Amino acid sequence: MFRRLSVVSVVLATTCAPGPKPTLAPRQPSAMSSLIPQPASVEMPEGEPFTVSPDSVIVVPPHDARAAFVGRFLADLIATATVPPPKVVPDPPGAGAAIVLAIDPGLRPEHYTLTVAASGVQIRGGDAAGLFYGVQTLRQHLPVDVEYEASRPKAVTVRPLHVVDGPRFGWRGAMLDVARHFFDVGEVQRYIDLVAMLKLNRLHLHLSDDQGWRIEIKSWPRLTAHGGSTEVGGGSGGFYTQAQYTEIVQYANERFITIVPEIDMPGHTNAALASYAELNCDGKAREPYTGIEVGFSAFCVESETTYTFIDAFVREISALTPGPYFHIGGDEVKTLSPAQYRQFIERVQDIVQSHGKQMVGWDEVSPVALKPTSIVQHWRPKETPKEAVEKGVKIILSPADRVYLDMKYTPTTPIGLNWAAIIEVRDAYEWEPSTYVPGVPEAAVLGIEAPLWTETVASLRDLEFLAFPRLAAVAEIAWSRPERRGWDDFASRLGRQAPRWSALGINFYRSPQVPWQH
């Protein structure tokens, strides 16, 4: 039922190539917090630990399927180290130490409290998502052995802890480009598990680009049969059937992550233009493309066939995606006039809305006559979506020089690009969303999202290497209030993730800026 975070490396995770010798920290006192993101309040009182025993149970609210899933998720985690695992029961037990998950109507959505004492564990959430985030915090407090199936201690003990917590921003996201290099269902689920561990709640899937079309559209089948057959460098590509896409959506939804599908348009469209000649103004199908240049392709925006096509795929994808968002891209269009571009985006905005979704677009859409429900994703550091903010439109912050996970860590990083910046871990962490973009106050910010483009990312190990540890930095910015954040403390807590991440087989970059524990 659960896709465990499998170990892909038995030894300590390493970088993709030899790098600077990591700075190793002495073992930290057991009372020191290693929680990421930093909670709103953490207390670690003295006292006896809680020990999971064969009589322990996990109590969940009755008649709440999502809360029951959280209970089973926790039982599955503990089952790695404890045999038999705790039973998940809907009613308070008569005897035996318990881990109690309860909905507290006095807490806001996604908020939770966590208390660990010798007598038991209690997690109270404003909703089932709050319970899930409480479990993720408890997970970081559990022995590392629970993450590694080859290690099975007889008992799991948990030190006393009290946490009161909730997120700063409602949109805490990651983006994965599956168009330039394709990642299969299992690989995307692996990334979902890693994202969920950091309390992120959006996964934006970049499903189409010049190099490939990655989702089945039944009314236009050549999109995948032909357009899905390539990727950067000339590989065989791939695509998701609608059943496979639904599997990804459901897997994410169980972990309180909303999938945001993106079909980039009117540019970045060569895979579609190669699949159907009638989408080109000259009626000639384009050749497949496997390079990494941008800006050369665009739909024929004067043709009604284009909008019939767009309506079809927006309809089919929207029907498979319960979340309220549809991302239309809109970036790096170099072959249309400003008037053509504006008219296209405004018409597509209506199509998206007609299928019950909110339109999301990259910040090039800011000057367009946007509806207040539309959302702008800001990525260009030297630009500002001020025009959109003045219309009441909300902003997702994804500044390329801070949170683009495909940028190199150092000039010698073996994979990644450097056109936006060289982004070490500290660069990804030390910025403040409320002041970073002139003219965009905190009230206009929905949240933060970290894109990972895949021009140079051809494997899951590549993906993990570029995402970790910077994704943890982004997660803390999105979750924790600025007064709770500071680089020295974060670096110390980050360093203490090394044993857990290694047990999980994460191929993370051992930045010399971080005192990694061994």
Side-chain angles (χ1 to χ4, degrees), residues 86-99:
K87 293 181 179 180
V88 180
V89 298
D91 296 309
I99 301 172

Side-chain angles (χ1 to χ4, degrees), residues 163-192:
V163 173
V164 178
D165 201 12
R168 178 184 184 184
F169 291 111
W171 190 295
R172 307 179 303 279
M175 189 219 78
L176 179 59
D177 171 16
V178 298
R180 290 182 173 87
H181 278 101
F182 181 67
F183 291 85
D184 65 26
V185 172
E187 290 169 326
V188 175
Q189 288 175 333
R190 162 76 169 183
Y191 199 51
I192 288 169

Side-chain angles (χ1 to χ4, degrees), residues 195-264:
V195 164
M197 190 167 61
L198 295 169
K199 302 185 179 75
L200 300 179
N201 66 353
R202 303 283 189 273
L203 180 60
H204 168 182
L205 290 177
H206 185 76
L207 293 166
S208 72
D209 215 295
D210 292 312
Q211 301 84 355
W213 184 286
R214 305 302 183 204
I215 183 168
E216 176 188 20
I217 304 300
K218 293 185 176 181
S219 56
W220 294 73
R222 275 183 58 82
L223 290 169
T224 48
H226 184 66
S229 64
T230 56
E231 63 182 15
V232 167
S236 60
F239 66 92
Y240 310 116
T241 66
Q242 291 197 0
Q244 289 172 324
Y245 177 76
T246 297
E247 184 181 351
I248 291 171
V249 169
Q250 291 176 344
Y251 192 89
N253 184 59
E254 287 176 331
R255 288 149 184 81
F256 302 91
I257 292 171
T258 299
I259 294 294
V260 181
E262 178 188 356
I263 299 296
D264 209 344

